[in-house]
């Protein structure tokens, strides 16, 4: 099973950030609807199991 760290929507939290924890990151995905485009960010860990939105990093 793939993990979030392999996903193109995973962004690691930098070590100097207030909310830094080892392995912690943000899942940032684009939402498109009739109002336009926006971004949804939620905290995830690099070893979290991937979800249905997973796209492998290139
Ligand atoms: S929660 Fe899903 S979309 Fe977000 S980083 Fe993990 S696998 Fe990717």
């Amino acid at each position: 099973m793939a993990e979030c760290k392999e996903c193109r929507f995973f962004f690691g939290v930098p070590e100097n950030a207030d909310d830094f924890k080892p392995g912690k990151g943000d899942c940032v995905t684009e939402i498109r609807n009739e109002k336009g485009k926006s971004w949804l960010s939620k905290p995830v860990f690099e070893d979290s199991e991937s979800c249905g939105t997973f796209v492998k990093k290139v």
Side-chain angles (χ1 to χ4, degrees):
M1 192 72 184
E3 297 177 340
C4 282
K5 64 172 178 276
E6 300 163 59
C7 177
R8 63 177 286 197
F9 302 117
F10 178 85
F11 299 89
V13 176
E15 272 183 48
N16 58 1
D18 290 344
D19 59 342
F20 173 78
K21 278 197 191 109
K24 192 177 173 196
D26 291 309
C27 163
V28 183
T29 48
E30 193 183 283
I31 312 290
R32 283 171 194 262
N33 59 26
E34 63 283 357
K35 290 186 195 145
K37 219 162 72 165
S38 60
W39 298 93
L40 180 71
S41 172
K42 64 174 184 181
V44 289
F45 281 87
E46 57 184 26
D47 57 358
S48 301
E49 214 168 83
S50 61
C51 75
T53 313
F54 177 84
V55 177
K56 193 158 177 63
K57 248 181 216 170
V58 284

Short mmCIF file of all heavy atoms in Angstrom, two decimals:
data_model
loop_
_atom_site.label_atom_id
_atom_site.label_comp_id
_atom_site.label_asym_id
_atom_site.label_seq_id
_atom_site.Cartn_x
_atom_site.Cartn_y
_atom_site.Cartn_z
N MET A 1 0.85 -1.21 0.00
CA MET A 1 0.00 0.00 0.00
C MET A 1 0.88 1.25 0.00
O MET A 1 1.83 1.33 0.77
CB MET A 1 -0.88 -0.05 1.25
CG MET A 1 -2.00 0.97 1.24
SD MET A 1 -3.28 0.51 0.04
CE MET A 1 -4.37 1.88 0.15
N ALA A 2 0.56 2.17 -0.87
CA ALA A 2 1.34 3.40 -0.95
C ALA A 2 1.11 4.27 0.29
O ALA A 2 0.09 4.15 0.96
CB ALA A 2 0.96 4.18 -2.19
N GLU A 3 2.07 5.12 0.58
CA GLU A 3 1.96 6.03 1.72
C GLU A 3 1.95 7.47 1.22
O GLU A 3 2.41 7.76 0.11
CB GLU A 3 3.16 5.81 2.66
CG GLU A 3 3.16 4.42 3.25
CD GLU A 3 4.37 4.14 4.12
OE1 GLU A 3 5.38 4.86 3.99
OE2 GLU A 3 4.29 3.21 4.95
N CYS A 4 1.45 8.36 2.07
CA CYS A 4 1.30 9.77 1.69
C CYS A 4 2.61 10.38 1.18
O CYS A 4 2.60 11.23 0.30
CB CYS A 4 0.76 10.58 2.85
SG CYS A 4 -1.00 10.38 3.08
N LYS A 5 3.76 9.97 1.73
CA LYS A 5 5.03 10.59 1.31
C LYS A 5 5.34 10.34 -0.17
O LYS A 5 6.15 11.05 -0.75
CB LYS A 5 6.19 10.13 2.19
CG LYS A 5 6.51 8.66 2.10
CD LYS A 5 7.80 8.39 2.86
CE LYS A 5 8.17 6.93 2.87
NZ LYS A 5 7.48 6.18 3.94
N GLU A 6 4.70 9.36 -0.77
CA GLU A 6 4.92 9.06 -2.19
C GLU A 6 3.95 9.83 -3.08
O GLU A 6 3.99 9.69 -4.30
CB GLU A 6 4.73 7.57 -2.44
CG GLU A 6 5.68 6.67 -1.67
CD GLU A 6 5.17 5.23 -1.66
OE1 GLU A 6 5.01 4.65 -2.74
OE2 GLU A 6 4.91 4.71 -0.55
N CYS A 7 3.09 10.63 -2.47
CA CYS A 7 2.01 11.29 -3.22
C CYS A 7 2.43 12.71 -3.61
O CYS A 7 3.08 13.41 -2.83
CB CYS A 7 0.77 11.33 -2.34
SG CYS A 7 -0.62 12.20 -3.07
N ARG A 8 2.04 13.13 -4.77
CA ARG A 8 2.42 14.48 -5.23
C ARG A 8 1.73 15.58 -4.43
O ARG A 8 2.12 16.74 -4.52
CB ARG A 8 2.14 14.65 -6.72
CG ARG A 8 0.68 14.55 -7.09
CD ARG A 8 0.47 14.80 -8.54
NE ARG A 8 0.63 16.21 -8.85
CZ ARG A 8 0.22 16.79 -9.95
NH1 ARG A 8 -0.34 16.07 -10.89
NH2 ARG A 8 0.37 18.05 -10.16
N PHE A 9 0.70 15.25 -3.67
CA PHE A 9 0.00 16.26 -2.88
C PHE A 9 0.54 16.38 -1.46
O PHE A 9 0.03 17.15 -0.66
CB PHE A 9 -1.50 15.94 -2.83
CG PHE A 9 -2.13 15.86 -4.19
CD1 PHE A 9 -2.69 14.67 -4.65
CD2 PHE A 9 -2.13 16.96 -5.03
CE1 PHE A 9 -3.26 14.59 -5.91
CE2 PHE A 9 -2.69 16.89 -6.30
CZ PHE A 9 -3.26 15.71 -6.74
N PHE A 10 1.60 15.61 -1.16
CA PHE A 10 2.20 15.66 0.18
C PHE A 10 3.33 16.69 0.23
O PHE A 10 4.23 16.66 -0.60
CB PHE A 10 2.75 14.28 0.57
CG PHE A 10 3.43 14.29 1.91
CD1 PHE A 10 2.69 14.13 3.07
CD2 PHE A 10 4.80 14.47 2.02
CE1 PHE A 10 3.30 14.16 4.32
CE2 PHE A 10 5.43 14.50 3.25
CZ PHE A 10 4.68 14.33 4.40
N PHE A 11 3.27 17.57 1.23
CA PHE A 11 4.32 18.58 1.41
C PHE A 11 4.79 18.52 2.86
O PHE A 11 3.99 18.79 3.77
CB PHE A 11 3.79 19.98 1.08
CG PHE A 11 3.34 20.10 -0.35
CD1 PHE A 11 2.03 19.80 -0.70
CD2 PHE A 11 4.23 20.45 -1.34
CE1 PHE A 11 1.60 19.88 -2.03
CE2 PHE A 11 3.83 20.53 -2.67
CZ PHE A 11 2.51 20.24 -3.03
N GLY A 12 6.02 18.18 3.07
CA GLY A 12 6.55 18.06 4.43
C GLY A 12 6.56 19.41 5.14
O GLY A 12 6.80 20.44 4.51
N VAL A 13 6.30 19.40 6.44
CA VAL A 13 6.38 20.62 7.23
C VAL A 13 7.86 20.93 7.47
O VAL A 13 8.58 20.07 7.96
CB VAL A 13 5.64 20.44 8.58
CG1 VAL A 13 5.79 21.67 9.45
CG2 VAL A 13 4.16 20.14 8.35
N PRO A 14 8.33 22.14 7.13
CA PRO A 14 9.75 22.46 7.33
C PRO A 14 10.12 22.44 8.81
O PRO A 14 9.28 22.76 9.66
CB PRO A 14 9.89 23.88 6.78
CG PRO A 14 8.61 24.23 6.13
CD PRO A 14 7.56 23.24 6.56
N GLU A 15 11.37 22.08 9.10
CA GLU A 15 11.81 21.93 10.49
C GLU A 15 11.67 23.20 11.31
O GLU A 15 11.55 23.16 12.53
CB GLU A 15 13.27 21.47 10.53
CG GLU A 15 13.37 19.96 10.48
CD GLU A 15 14.79 19.48 10.59
OE1 GLU A 15 15.50 19.95 11.50
OE2 GLU A 15 15.19 18.63 9.77
N ASN A 16 11.71 24.36 10.65
CA ASN A 16 11.62 25.62 11.40
C ASN A 16 10.18 26.11 11.55
O ASN A 16 9.95 27.19 12.08
CB ASN A 16 12.49 26.70 10.74
CG ASN A 16 12.09 26.95 9.30
OD1 ASN A 16 11.14 26.35 8.80
ND2 ASN A 16 12.79 27.85 8.64
N ALA A 17 9.21 25.32 11.11
CA ALA A 17 7.81 25.73 11.23
C ALA A 17 7.30 25.45 12.65
O ALA A 17 7.77 24.52 13.31
CB ALA A 17 6.96 25.00 10.22
N ASP A 18 6.34 26.27 13.10
CA ASP A 18 5.80 26.13 14.46
C ASP A 18 5.19 24.76 14.69
O ASP A 18 5.22 24.24 15.80
CB ASP A 18 4.71 27.18 14.70
CG ASP A 18 5.29 28.57 14.79
OD1 ASP A 18 6.52 28.69 14.97
OD2 ASP A 18 4.52 29.54 14.69
N ASP A 19 4.57 24.21 13.65
CA ASP A 19 3.86 22.94 13.84
C ASP A 19 4.70 21.75 13.36
O ASP A 19 4.16 20.69 13.07
CB ASP A 19 2.50 22.97 13.13
CG ASP A 19 2.60 23.24 11.64
OD1 ASP A 19 3.66 23.74 11.19
OD2 ASP A 19 1.63 22.96 10.93
N PHE A 20 6.04 21.92 13.29
CA PHE A 20 6.89 20.82 12.84
C PHE A 20 6.84 19.63 13.79
O PHE A 20 6.94 19.78 15.01
CB PHE A 20 8.35 21.28 12.70
CG PHE A 20 9.29 20.14 12.39
CD1 PHE A 20 9.37 19.62 11.11
CD2 PHE A 20 10.05 19.56 13.39
CE1 PHE A 20 10.21 18.55 10.82
CE2 PHE A 20 10.88 18.49 13.12
CZ PHE A 20 10.97 17.99 11.84
N LYS A 21 6.70 18.46 13.23
CA LYS A 21 6.88 17.19 13.94
C LYS A 21 7.50 16.24 12.94
O LYS A 21 7.15 16.30 11.75
CB LYS A 21 5.53 16.60 14.37
CG LYS A 21 4.96 17.19 15.63
CD LYS A 21 3.86 16.28 16.18
CE LYS A 21 3.11 16.97 17.29
NZ LYS A 21 1.76 17.36 16.93
N PRO A 22 8.41 15.37 13.38
CA PRO A 22 9.01 14.45 12.43
C PRO A 22 7.95 13.66 11.67
O PRO A 22 7.03 13.13 12.27
CB PRO A 22 9.86 13.53 13.31
CG PRO A 22 10.11 14.31 14.55
CD PRO A 22 8.90 15.19 14.74
N GLY A 23 8.07 13.65 10.36
CA GLY A 23 7.13 12.87 9.55
C GLY A 23 5.84 13.58 9.22
O GLY A 23 5.01 13.06 8.49
N LYS A 24 5.68 14.79 9.78
CA LYS A 24 4.42 15.49 9.55
C LYS A 24 4.44 16.28 8.25
O LYS A 24 5.48 16.79 7.85
CB LYS A 24 4.15 16.45 10.71
CG LYS A 24 2.74 17.00 10.70
CD LYS A 24 2.51 17.87 11.91
CE LYS A 24 1.14 18.54 11.77
NZ LYS A 24 1.01 19.65 12.69
N GLY A 25 3.29 16.34 7.61
CA GLY A 25 3.20 17.11 6.38
C GLY A 25 1.79 17.61 6.17
O GLY A 25 0.90 17.38 6.98
N ASP A 26 1.63 18.30 5.06
CA ASP A 26 0.30 18.77 4.68
C ASP A 26 -0.08 18.10 3.38
O ASP A 26 0.73 17.98 2.46
CB ASP A 26 0.31 20.29 4.48
CG ASP A 26 0.50 21.03 5.79
OD1 ASP A 26 -0.25 20.72 6.74
OD2 ASP A 26 1.39 21.88 5.86
N CYS A 27 -1.32 17.70 3.32
CA CYS A 27 -1.91 17.21 2.07
C CYS A 27 -2.63 18.39 1.45
O CYS A 27 -3.56 18.92 2.05
CB CYS A 27 -2.88 16.10 2.42
SG CYS A 27 -4.01 15.75 1.07
N VAL A 28 -2.15 18.84 0.31
CA VAL A 28 -2.73 20.02 -0.33
C VAL A 28 -3.30 19.60 -1.68
O VAL A 28 -2.57 19.20 -2.58
CB VAL A 28 -1.68 21.13 -0.51
CG1 VAL A 28 -2.33 22.38 -1.11
CG2 VAL A 28 -1.02 21.48 0.81
N THR A 29 -4.62 19.69 -1.78
CA THR A 29 -5.27 19.28 -3.03
C THR A 29 -6.10 20.43 -3.58
O THR A 29 -6.57 21.29 -2.83
CB THR A 29 -6.19 18.06 -2.81
OG1 THR A 29 -6.99 18.29 -1.67
CG2 THR A 29 -5.38 16.80 -2.61
N GLU A 30 -6.26 20.42 -4.88
CA GLU A 30 -7.01 21.47 -5.55
C GLU A 30 -8.48 21.07 -5.62
O GLU A 30 -8.80 19.94 -5.96
CB GLU A 30 -6.45 21.61 -6.97
CG GLU A 30 -6.91 22.84 -7.66
CD GLU A 30 -6.38 22.90 -9.08
OE1 GLU A 30 -5.20 23.23 -9.26
OE2 GLU A 30 -7.15 22.58 -10.00
N ILE A 31 -9.33 22.01 -5.27
CA ILE A 31 -10.78 21.79 -5.35
C ILE A 31 -11.32 22.67 -6.47
O ILE A 31 -11.07 23.87 -6.47
CB ILE A 31 -11.49 22.23 -4.03
CG1 ILE A 31 -10.79 21.67 -2.81
CG2 ILE A 31 -12.96 21.88 -4.06
CD1 ILE A 31 -10.92 20.20 -2.63
N ARG A 32 -12.03 22.09 -7.40
CA ARG A 32 -12.66 22.88 -8.45
C ARG A 32 -14.17 22.71 -8.34
O ARG A 32 -14.65 21.59 -8.31
CB ARG A 32 -12.25 22.38 -9.85
CG ARG A 32 -10.86 22.80 -10.26
CD ARG A 32 -10.51 22.04 -11.53
NE ARG A 32 -9.09 22.12 -11.81
CZ ARG A 32 -8.57 22.99 -12.68
NH1 ARG A 32 -9.36 23.82 -13.33
NH2 ARG A 32 -7.27 23.01 -12.89
N ASN A 33 -14.86 23.83 -8.30
CA ASN A 33 -16.32 23.76 -8.34
C ASN A 33 -16.82 24.98 -9.11
O ASN A 33 -16.04 25.70 -9.73
CB ASN A 33 -16.91 23.66 -6.93
CG ASN A 33 -16.51 24.83 -6.05
OD1 ASN A 33 -16.23 25.92 -6.55
ND2 ASN A 33 -16.50 24.63 -4.75
N GLU A 34 -18.15 25.20 -9.05
CA GLU A 34 -18.73 26.29 -9.85
C GLU A 34 -18.19 27.66 -9.43
O GLU A 34 -18.22 28.60 -10.20
CB GLU A 34 -20.27 26.24 -9.82
CG GLU A 34 -20.94 26.44 -8.47
CD GLU A 34 -20.88 25.21 -7.55
OE1 GLU A 34 -20.36 24.13 -7.97
OE2 GLU A 34 -21.33 25.34 -6.42
N LYS A 35 -17.66 27.77 -8.20
CA LYS A 35 -17.12 29.05 -7.73
C LYS A 35 -15.69 29.26 -8.19
O LYS A 35 -15.10 30.32 -7.98
CB LYS A 35 -17.18 29.12 -6.21
CG LYS A 35 -18.59 29.25 -5.68
CD LYS A 35 -18.54 29.46 -4.18
CE LYS A 35 -19.91 29.22 -3.57
NZ LYS A 35 -19.84 28.63 -2.26
N GLY A 36 -15.08 28.24 -8.74
CA GLY A 36 -13.71 28.37 -9.22
C GLY A 36 -12.80 27.36 -8.56
O GLY A 36 -13.21 26.25 -8.26
N LYS A 37 -11.58 27.80 -8.30
CA LYS A 37 -10.53 26.91 -7.84
C LYS A 37 -10.10 27.31 -6.44
O LYS A 37 -9.96 28.49 -6.14
CB LYS A 37 -9.33 27.09 -8.77
CG LYS A 37 -8.60 25.83 -9.12
CD LYS A 37 -7.75 26.01 -10.34
CE LYS A 37 -6.52 26.87 -10.12
NZ LYS A 37 -5.55 26.74 -11.21
N SER A 38 -9.90 26.36 -5.57
CA SER A 38 -9.35 26.68 -4.26
C SER A 38 -8.49 25.50 -3.81
O SER A 38 -8.41 24.49 -4.48
CB SER A 38 -10.47 26.95 -3.26
OG SER A 38 -11.29 25.82 -3.13
N TRP A 39 -7.85 25.67 -2.66
CA TRP A 39 -6.94 24.64 -2.17
C TRP A 39 -7.41 24.16 -0.81
O TRP A 39 -7.84 24.96 0.02
CB TRP A 39 -5.52 25.19 -2.07
CG TRP A 39 -4.99 25.60 -3.39
CD1 TRP A 39 -5.06 26.84 -3.95
CD2 TRP A 39 -4.34 24.76 -4.35
NE1 TRP A 39 -4.49 26.82 -5.20
CE2 TRP A 39 -4.04 25.56 -5.47
CE3 TRP A 39 -4.00 23.40 -4.37
CZ2 TRP A 39 -3.41 25.05 -6.59
CZ3 TRP A 39 -3.36 22.90 -5.49
CH2 TRP A 39 -3.07 23.71 -6.58
N LEU A 40 -7.33 22.88 -0.62
CA LEU A 40 -7.69 22.29 0.65
C LEU A 40 -6.43 21.70 1.27
O LEU A 40 -5.72 20.93 0.63
CB LEU A 40 -8.72 21.18 0.41
CG LEU A 40 -9.22 20.46 1.66
CD1 LEU A 40 -10.13 21.39 2.47
CD2 LEU A 40 -10.00 19.21 1.27
N SER A 41 -6.14 22.12 2.50
CA SER A 41 -4.94 21.63 3.16
C SER A 41 -5.33 20.92 4.45
O SER A 41 -6.13 21.43 5.22
CB SER A 41 -4.04 22.83 3.48
OG SER A 41 -2.96 22.41 4.28
N LYS A 42 -4.80 19.73 4.65
CA LYS A 42 -5.06 19.03 5.90
C LYS A 42 -3.79 18.34 6.35
O LYS A 42 -2.97 17.92 5.53
CB LYS A 42 -6.21 18.02 5.74
CG LYS A 42 -5.88 16.91 4.77
CD LYS A 42 -6.95 15.84 4.73
CE LYS A 42 -6.49 14.72 3.80
NZ LYS A 42 -7.42 13.64 3.65
N PRO A 43 -3.59 18.25 7.68
CA PRO A 43 -2.38 17.62 8.18
C PRO A 43 -2.40 16.11 7.97
O PRO A 43 -3.43 15.47 8.17
CB PRO A 43 -2.38 17.95 9.67
CG PRO A 43 -3.72 18.48 10.00
CD PRO A 43 -4.48 18.74 8.75
N VAL A 44 -1.28 15.58 7.51
CA VAL A 44 -1.12 14.12 7.35
C VAL A 44 0.30 13.75 7.79
O VAL A 44 1.14 14.62 8.00
CB VAL A 44 -1.32 13.66 5.88
CG1 VAL A 44 -2.76 13.76 5.46
CG2 VAL A 44 -0.42 14.41 4.93
N PHE A 45 0.56 12.49 7.92
CA PHE A 45 1.91 12.01 8.21
C PHE A 45 2.42 11.24 7.02
O PHE A 45 1.65 10.64 6.27
CB PHE A 45 1.92 11.16 9.48
CG PHE A 45 1.90 12.02 10.71
CD1 PHE A 45 0.70 12.44 11.25
CD2 PHE A 45 3.08 12.47 11.29
CE1 PHE A 45 0.66 13.28 12.36
CE2 PHE A 45 3.06 13.30 12.40
CZ PHE A 45 1.86 13.71 12.94
N GLU A 46 3.75 11.28 6.85
CA GLU A 46 4.32 10.67 5.64
C GLU A 46 4.05 9.17 5.54
O GLU A 46 3.98 8.63 4.45
CB GLU A 46 5.81 10.99 5.50
CG GLU A 46 6.65 10.56 6.68
CD GLU A 46 8.10 10.99 6.53
OE1 GLU A 46 8.37 11.98 5.83
OE2 GLU A 46 8.96 10.31 7.13
N ASP A 47 3.87 8.52 6.71
CA ASP A 47 3.60 7.09 6.64
C ASP A 47 2.10 6.77 6.74
O ASP A 47 1.73 5.61 6.95
CB ASP A 47 4.40 6.33 7.70
CG ASP A 47 4.12 6.83 9.11
OD1 ASP A 47 3.34 7.79 9.27
OD2 ASP A 47 4.69 6.23 10.05
N SER A 48 1.25 7.81 6.60
CA SER A 48 -0.19 7.53 6.56
C SER A 48 -0.50 6.74 5.30
O SER A 48 0.15 6.91 4.27
CB SER A 48 -0.99 8.83 6.51
OG SER A 48 -0.73 9.64 7.62
N GLU A 49 -1.52 5.91 5.40
CA GLU A 49 -1.93 5.13 4.23
C GLU A 49 -2.56 6.07 3.20
O GLU A 49 -3.32 6.97 3.56
CB GLU A 49 -2.95 4.08 4.68
CG GLU A 49 -2.83 2.80 3.90
CD GLU A 49 -3.65 1.69 4.55
OE1 GLU A 49 -4.85 1.65 4.31
OE2 GLU A 49 -3.04 0.91 5.30
N SER A 50 -2.24 5.86 1.93
CA SER A 50 -2.74 6.75 0.89
C SER A 50 -4.26 6.65 0.77
O SER A 50 -4.86 5.64 1.11
CB SER A 50 -2.08 6.41 -0.43
OG SER A 50 -2.42 5.09 -0.79
N CYS A 51 -4.84 7.74 0.25
CA CYS A 51 -6.29 7.77 0.08
C CYS A 51 -6.62 7.65 -1.40
O CYS A 51 -5.74 7.49 -2.24
CB CYS A 51 -6.84 9.08 0.65
SG CYS A 51 -6.51 10.49 -0.42
N GLY A 52 -7.89 7.78 -1.73
CA GLY A 52 -8.35 7.63 -3.12
C GLY A 52 -7.86 8.71 -4.07
O GLY A 52 -7.91 8.54 -5.29
N THR A 53 -7.36 9.82 -3.51
CA THR A 53 -6.88 10.94 -4.33
C THR A 53 -5.41 10.78 -4.70
O THR A 53 -4.85 11.57 -5.45
CB THR A 53 -7.09 12.26 -3.55
OG1 THR A 53 -8.41 12.28 -3.02
CG2 THR A 53 -6.91 13.48 -4.42
N PHE A 54 -4.75 9.76 -4.16
CA PHE A 54 -3.31 9.55 -4.35
C PHE A 54 -2.89 9.63 -5.82
O PHE A 54 -3.49 9.01 -6.68
CB PHE A 54 -2.93 8.16 -3.80
CG PHE A 54 -1.49 7.79 -4.01
CD1 PHE A 54 -0.52 8.20 -3.12
CD2 PHE A 54 -1.12 7.01 -5.10
CE1 PHE A 54 0.80 7.87 -3.31
CE2 PHE A 54 0.21 6.66 -5.30
CZ PHE A 54 1.17 7.09 -4.40
N VAL A 55 -1.85 10.43 -6.07
CA VAL A 55 -1.19 10.46 -7.38
C VAL A 55 0.30 10.33 -7.11
O VAL A 55 0.88 11.12 -6.35
CB VAL A 55 -1.45 11.77 -8.15
CG1 VAL A 55 -0.70 11.80 -9.47
CG2 VAL A 55 -2.94 11.95 -8.40
N LYS A 56 0.94 9.35 -7.72
CA LYS A 56 2.35 9.09 -7.44
C LYS A 56 3.22 10.26 -7.90
O LYS A 56 3.05 10.80 -8.97
CB LYS A 56 2.80 7.80 -8.13
CG LYS A 56 4.14 7.32 -7.62
CD LYS A 56 4.32 5.83 -7.88
CE LYS A 56 5.69 5.34 -7.45
NZ LYS A 56 5.96 5.46 -6.02
N LYS A 57 4.15 10.65 -6.99
CA LYS A 57 5.14 11.70 -7.31
C LYS A 57 6.01 11.25 -8.46
O LYS A 57 6.37 10.08 -8.52
CB LYS A 57 6.03 11.90 -6.09
CG LYS A 57 5.89 13.20 -5.40
CD LYS A 57 6.83 13.29 -4.24
CE LYS A 57 6.15 14.04 -3.13
NZ LYS A 57 6.85 14.00 -1.87
N VAL A 58 6.40 12.17 -9.33
CA VAL A 58 7.30 11.79 -10.42
C VAL A 58 8.73 12.27 -10.13
O VAL A 58 8.94 13.12 -9.29
CB VAL A 58 6.85 12.31 -11.80
CG1 VAL A 58 5.70 11.46 -12.29
CG2 VAL A 58 6.47 13.77 -11.75
S1 LIG B 1 -4.15 12.01 2.03
FE1 LIG B 1 -4.35 11.23 -0.08
S2 LIG B 1 -4.07 13.03 -1.42
FE2 LIG B 1 -3.32 13.57 0.63
S3 LIG B 1 -1.13 13.18 0.57
FE3 LIG B 1 -2.12 11.34 1.36
S4 LIG B 1 -2.49 10.06 -0.41
FE4 LIG B 1 -2.06 12.10 -1.16
#
